[in-house]
Amino acid sequence: MSHKPSEELHNLARTQWAALQETLQERSLKPKERLALPQQEMPSQDPLERRCNMHEVALGYTEEQARIEAERCLQCPTAPCVAGCPVAIDIPRFIREITEGNYQKALGVIQETSLLPSICGRVCPQEVQCQAPCTVGKALKDTFASVSIGRLERFVADRAAGSSPAPQVKPETGRRVAIIGSGPASITAAADIRREGHAVTIFEAFHKPGGVLVYGIPEFRLPKRIVQDELATLEAMGVSIVPNFLVGRTRTLKQLLEEDSFDAIFIGSGAGLPKFMHIEGENLVGVFSANEFLTRSNLMKAYNRDEAATPIFEAPVVAVLGGGNVAMDAARTAVRLGAQEVHLFYRRTRAEMPARAEEVDHAEEEGVIFHFLRSPTRILGDQDDRVQAIEVLEYELGEPDESGRRRPVAVPGSEYTVPVNAVIVSIGNDSNPLLTATTPELETNRWGNIVADESGQTSMDRVFAGGDIVLGAATVILAMGQGRAAAQSINTMLCENHQT
């Protein structure tokens, strides 16, 4: 998909909106007319310019674009989009408010079930969640032609930024809840628990709160000021955030419950232990996990060489291994850090990539070179044990595996080498074993994830869990859904205990 200049999209939307307004002043649109409205493209920075900066790529809808896109919604009585949203936002209702120009009311509808609209509107994969069952997309036989729910969510959140009051909090109950981690699951749980009047303390291992939203997602995709604004809302509600506090080392779960008198604990510490391929050469100088590479750039601002003290490895030719959103983030960050070439290797085809199509498009526009049906067999080094090249094996697709994607099958004898100076491994994460290692009462599965039921209850009394620590590496909105479910269970438990 070729990039269109923002001004061109703005001018086109002004013309379309002017024509549409004339019709709307006379009557409502018929369903066929709504289906005929053009989906509004997201304005974005020019690829050649954004390659050299960390500013946000997607620039957001103009008011005209948002109004046109909102008019595409059919306001289906069955609202299949709501069923596709892990936190059940009343999507038709907030879109209807946009069509009437009530942006603050639209935001209020979203905030009934989500405290993070600015974040979710940017990073959630709506195309496989709320937009997947959209009637518009089905009618047009194209999921990517569905109503752009995420972009509309971002529009109202950005439009009302700073003007929305913190959610109301009920009278204090005297109950205390500890939240482990400060990512999306924890933020959601903290907000819902605090609304009920319980005291909430978030314990964060890093020196800055925000979890994966801060250390994992680059500035050009999610500006950190937005995360800080959301955390400020929590603090305005009365939530306490304690950084540099590693639960399992600073204090154990048992100590929090038995000595520090917390009535319940929610664990939302995420999945931060990177996986490696276990191939020859992974210990060479110049091989990094995507976690370390992105944390240095995102959290420690290593890209800001004039002000940041954190070093980051600079290489002219970089190889990124993987096909998910984190791989795209790593590849696009490497471009911005000055790599002359960035090669991404994925052992299936583009159609099977788990990364969002939009992120893949952006990476291609920025010059990332994709190698599909390829995977490295070993990393080669020079006499100083520095990365010199990777050996790559070709694949072809076989029968589908348990994920439903066609299984990659190696082509014997197809190995070849590609000269590179650095390798970033981005093939997923496991749960950090520290917390479970110091708490044998917590049941885990074979991948090290905490076992929790649908309500978030773990094998340990009064301890709940949700997000990536339970699901494995998942999406922001799925983590939020689990945080919400656990918060409801905790609130119910505390209410029942209070009554007895």
Side-chain angles (χ1 to χ4, degrees):
M1 185 178 67
S2 61
H3 176 267
K4 291 183 180 178
S6 297
E7 191 58 37
E8 178 183 329
L9 295 176
H10 295 167
N11 290 335
L12 181 60
R14 290 189 195 102
T15 302
Q16 292 170 344
W17 176 237
L20 184 57
Q21 274 185 302
E22 292 183 8
T23 302
L24 292 172
Q25 287 171 358
E26 298 175 1
R27 57 177 175 82
S28 297
L29 297 180
K30 298 176 181 178
K32 284 188 177 181
E33 292 175 305
R34 295 186 187 279
L35 291 173
L37 290 174
Q39 185 187 53
Q40 298 298 295
E41 290 186 38
M42 173 63 85
S44 61
Q45 281 196 72
D46 181 270
L48 293 179
E49 293 179 3
R50 70 187 193 231
R51 280 175 52 93
C52 304
N53 67 59
M54 282 285 177
H55 303 314
E56 188 170 14
V57 169
L59 302 176
Y61 275 167
T62 63
E63 183 173 11
E64 292 90 350
Q65 286 183 299
R67 294 292 289 267
I68 295 168
E69 191 64 29
E71 289 292 347
R72 298 181 68 231
C73 178
L74 298 174
Q75 293 293 321
C76 309
T78 56
C81 52
V82 176
C85 175
V87 295
I89 292 172
D90 191 340
I91 294 167
R93 187 154 63 96
F94 99 72
I95 291 180
R96 186 166 61 249
E97 295 291 357
I98 294 176
T99 65
E100 297 172 3
N102 299 326
Y103 308 129
Q104 192 68 49
K105 287 184 178 180
L107 180 61
V109 172
I110 297 170
Q111 289 180 328
E112 289 173 3
T113 53
S114 172
L115 193 68
L116 308 175
S118 291
I119 294 171
C120 290
R122 285 169 164 81
V123 303
C124 285
Q126 292 92 2
E127 63 273 13
V128 295
Q129 293 178 158
C130 57
Q131 291 174 197
C134 174
T135 306
V136 172
K138 291 186 179 300
L140 297 175
K141 296 180 171 58
D142 181 2
T143 301
F144 291 100
S146 298
V147 176
S148 300
I149 298 167
R151 294 172 180 177
L152 291 174
E153 180 180 19
R154 170 184 168 165
F155 169 78
V156 296
D158 289 357
R159 181 92 177 185
S163 62
S164 182
Q168 290 189 338
V169 175
K170 294 181 181 179
E172 299 291 338
T173 65
R175 302 290 182 173
R176 302 174 68 228
V177 179
I179 306 282
I180 314 303
S182 59
S186 295
I187 291 173
T188 303
D192 284 3
I193 294 168
R194 180 60 189 147
R195 286 180 210 253
E196 296 302 309
H198 310 307
V200 176
T201 302
I202 293 176
F203 295 105
E204 168 55 47
F206 280 145
H207 63 289
K208 287 184 179 179
V212 69
L213 303 173
V214 169
Y215 71 76
I217 303 176
E219 183 79 12
F220 56 79
R221 206 152 69 82
L222 178 63
K224 299 302 167 273
R225 60 173 174 77
I226 293 172
V227 182
Q228 298 311 314
D229 288 345
E230 305 291 13
L231 291 167
T233 298
L234 274 185
E235 291 182 306
M237 294 173 67
V239 173
S240 175
I241 301 176
V242 181
N244 301 309
F245 195 106
L246 186 58
V247 176
R249 283 287 183 266
T250 311
R251 302 288 278 170
T252 65
L253 293 180
K254 273 193 168 183
Q255 287 176 317
L256 291 174
L257 289 170
E258 297 173 3
E259 298 177 22
D260 299 335
S261 302
F262 281 100
D263 298 289
I265 294 175
F266 173 76
I267 304 171
S269 50
L273 186 67
K275 294 179 182 179
F276 283 90
M277 297 188 68
H278 304 293
I279 59 176
E280 178 185 334
E282 278 190 310
N283 61 339
L284 291 171
V285 176
V287 180
F288 301 90
S289 70
N291 280 38
E292 178 184 350
F293 182 73
L294 290 172
T295 298
R296 284 177 177 271
S297 178
N298 300 336
L299 182 65
M300 306 305 294
K301 309 294 185 187
Y303 62 84
N304 189 350
R305 295 178 178 89
D306 294 334
E307 297 183 17
T310 300
I312 195 163
F313 195 84
E314 297 181 26
V317 183
V318 177
V320 177
L321 314 181
N325 288 322
V326 177
M328 298 305 126
D329 289 342
R332 297 174 67 196
T333 296
V335 167
R336 286 160 172 77
L337 289 173
Q340 297 168 15
E341 293 181 10
V342 177
H343 298 261
L344 188 141
F345 295 86
Y346 180 59
R347 62 181 186 156
R348 291 182 169 94
T349 70
R350 176 168 178 155
E352 286 81 29
M353 292 187 90
R356 299 186 69 185
E358 181 179 68
E359 301 306 322
V360 179
D361 289 341
H362 283 166
E364 283 188 324
E365 290 174 356
E366 292 162 10
V368 175
I369 303 165
F370 286 80
H371 301 263
F372 296 113
L373 294 170
R374 303 288 187 273
S375 186
T377 55
R378 58 181 178 145
I379 304 171
L380 308 175
D382 61 16
Q383 66 273 14
D384 296 320
D385 289 332
R386 293 179 175 274
V387 172
Q388 189 174 42
I390 57 173
E391 182 181 83
V392 177
L393 182 65
E394 295 183 14
Y395 285 77
E396 57 188 16
L397 293 182
E399 296 300 314
D401 61 14
E402 61 275 3
S403 72
R405 296 178 297 173
R406 293 176 65 189
R407 188 185 303 276
V409 179
V411 178
S414 62
E415 296 91 345
Y416 63 96
T417 60
V418 179
V420 300
N421 310 107
V423 177
I424 302 171
V425 183
S426 179
I427 58 171
N429 296 309
D430 286 325
S431 300
N432 192 310
L434 173 62
L435 190 58
T436 53
T438 58
T439 316
E441 297 90 341
L442 274 179
E443 181 186 353
T444 59
N445 61 22
R446 62 193 178 100
W447 297 284
N449 300 327
I450 294 175
V451 175
D453 62 20
E454 291 184 357
S455 71
Q457 176 67 61
T458 71
S459 58
M460 192 172 174
D461 185 42
R462 295 188 290 156
V463 177
F464 298 76
D468 289 1
I469 192 70
V470 172
L471 298 169
T475 64
V476 168
I477 194 70
L478 285 174
M480 289 173 60
Q482 288 222 317
R484 165 140 295 147
Q488 184 176 356
S489 300
I490 291 171
N491 288 333
T492 300
M493 180 192 74
L494 295 179
C495 180
E496 291 174 349
N497 291 348
H498 180 70
Q499 290 175 348
T500 58

